[in-house]
Amino acid sequence: MNMNISGLILSTGLSILFLALVFRPLEKLFPAREQKFFRPEWWTDLFFLLGQYLLWSGLVFSALYVCRGWLHAFVPESFRTAVASQPWWLQAVQVIVLSDFLIYWGHRLQHRVGFLWRFHSIHHSAEHLDWLAAHREHPVDSIYTIGLINLPAFILGFPLETLAGFIAFRGIWAIYIHSNVRLPLGPLRMLIGAPELHHWHHDKARDAGNYANISPLMDILFGTYRCPDHEPESFGIHEPIPRSYLGQMLHPFRRKKRTE
């Protein structure tokens, strides 16, 4: 048990070091806006990062792994075998397209359905975006998102090896699009997601658009693509919300004074 805890702490420390070494130089060289490293609520976002790496992500993925057996009963064995026997690169393309479609509509629901917004608003409460703020996510919101991305792939028979690589890639990508970086892509921004797109999703307008993740094609297809040539004036949400880690963890469970 002590070995597992020590290994978890070590891997978390190495992950944080890796992310800082990758994204901090990018934010210094190509800043979307000028802001200090220890900007307001830096410590709150650090607690969210530690919570994700040390506790919540492991619990979510463990639940998915335990459930994989009965989930497979939804799809014939022959179909799942055919899916798993495809070339790895084709599996990767299929998983990306499937997950982008699902996360697009699931993300739009998070902004439209009051119950889902209670948890997702925690992520949008960040008023300063950088690689650390990407981790500000309520665990209930994480369960919803991770399940939406991975459960259908589990059911269809994509092997764990393919999903593990995809999960790692998507995690790095999510951190990148939240980072305080502006690297305009020109025409490529119609195919590849970027901070300049996702920053506008974090505009204070609750329905600001840009719900897609890896590629903006779903936003273009369904009319929610938005990419002005400048940064939003401000990030965050209009509703009052606690600023501490514990306060934000408890906030979605508090009784609302008015109906959503």
Side-chain angles (χ1 to χ4, degrees), residues 4 21 23 31 44 59 73-74 147 153 192 198 207 211-212 218 229-231:
N4 290 337
L21 291 176
F23 289 104
T44 297
L59 291 176
F74 288 96
I192 303 174
H198 199 70
D207 295 314
Y211 300 103
M218 296 297 169
D229 60 0
H230 58 281
E231 285 286 298

Side-chain angles (χ1 to χ4, degrees), residues 74 83 90 92 114 125 157 167 170 183 196 202 205 213 230 249 260:
F74 288 96
V83 169
L90 183 57
S125 69
I167 290 167
R170 184 178 282 278
L183 284 169
E196 63 178 310
H202 277 264
N213 185 274
H230 58 281
M249 292 290 286
E260 292 173 297

Side-chain angles (χ1 to χ4, degrees), residues 9-28:
I9 292 174
L10 177 61
S11 64
T12 297
L14 291 175
S15 296
I16 295 173
L17 178 62
F18 169 77
L19 294 174
L21 291 176
V22 170
F23 289 104
R24 185 55 185 164
L26 281 175
E27 292 182 338
K28 289 290 288 183

Side-chain angles (χ1 to χ4, degrees), residues 84-113:
S85 64
Q86 298 178 110
W88 185 88
W89 66 266
L90 183 57
Q91 292 182 39
V93 171
Q94 292 169 346
V95 169
I96 288 173
V97 173
L98 173 64
S99 64
D100 263 16
F101 177 80
L102 293 172
I103 200 62
Y104 172 82
W105 287 106
H107 198 173
R108 284 190 71 169
L109 285 176
Q110 286 172 301
H111 285 254
R112 298 291 180 86
V113 178

Side-chain angles (χ1 to χ4, degrees), residues 22-213:
V22 170
F23 289 104
R24 185 55 185 164
L26 281 175
E27 292 182 338
K28 289 290 288 183
L29 292 171
F30 308 102
R33 59 178 68 203
E34 294 297 329
Q35 66 182 26
K36 297 178 180 178
F37 179 75
F38 292 106
R39 39 75 178 172
E41 297 181 34
W42 186 91
W43 289 103
T44 297
D45 289 326
L46 179 63
F47 282 123
F48 272 102
L49 181 151
L50 294 174
Q52 277 196 25
Y53 281 74
L54 293 174
L55 182 60
W56 306 120
S57 293
L59 291 176
V60 172
F61 286 119
S62 295
L64 287 173
Y65 184 81
V66 169
C67 292
R68 75 192 189 285
W70 66 265
L71 288 173
H72 284 166
F74 288 96
V75 176
E77 177 69 26
S78 58
F79 184 88
R80 290 187 288 107
T81 300
V83 169
S85 64
Q86 298 178 110
W88 185 88
W89 66 266
L90 183 57
Q91 292 182 39
V93 171
Q94 292 169 346
V95 169
I96 288 173
V97 173
L98 173 64
S99 64
D100 263 16
F101 177 80
L102 293 172
I103 200 62
Y104 172 82
W105 287 106
H107 198 173
R108 284 190 71 169
L109 285 176
Q110 286 172 301
H111 285 254
R112 298 291 180 86
V113 178
F115 175 78
L116 295 177
W117 175 251
R118 284 190 179 200
F119 298 96
H120 191 56
S121 65
I122 303 303
H123 179 62
H124 277 267
S125 69
E127 297 179 351
H128 300 81
L129 291 186
D130 56 18
W131 68 272
L132 187 60
H135 299 86
R136 184 184 295 206
E137 191 172 84
H138 197 281
V140 174
D141 201 31
S142 297
I143 292 171
Y144 172 86
T145 302
I146 294 172
L148 189 67
I149 293 172
N150 295 290
L151 278 179
F154 268 115
I155 294 171
L156 291 174
F158 287 96
L160 289 175
E161 295 78 9
T162 299
L163 295 179
F166 171 70
I167 290 167
F169 169 74
R170 184 178 282 278
I172 294 293
W173 191 261
I175 296 170
Y176 168 63
I177 62 177
H178 287 89
S179 64
N180 183 35
V181 171
R182 190 170 183 88
L183 284 169
L185 298 176
L188 285 178
R189 69 186 184 187
M190 307 293 283
L191 296 174
I192 303 174
E196 63 178 310
L197 299 179
H198 199 70
H199 286 187
W200 277 100
H201 174 71
H202 277 264
D203 187 24
K204 278 199 172 182
R206 180 164 162 179
D207 295 314
N210 293 350
Y211 300 103
N213 185 274

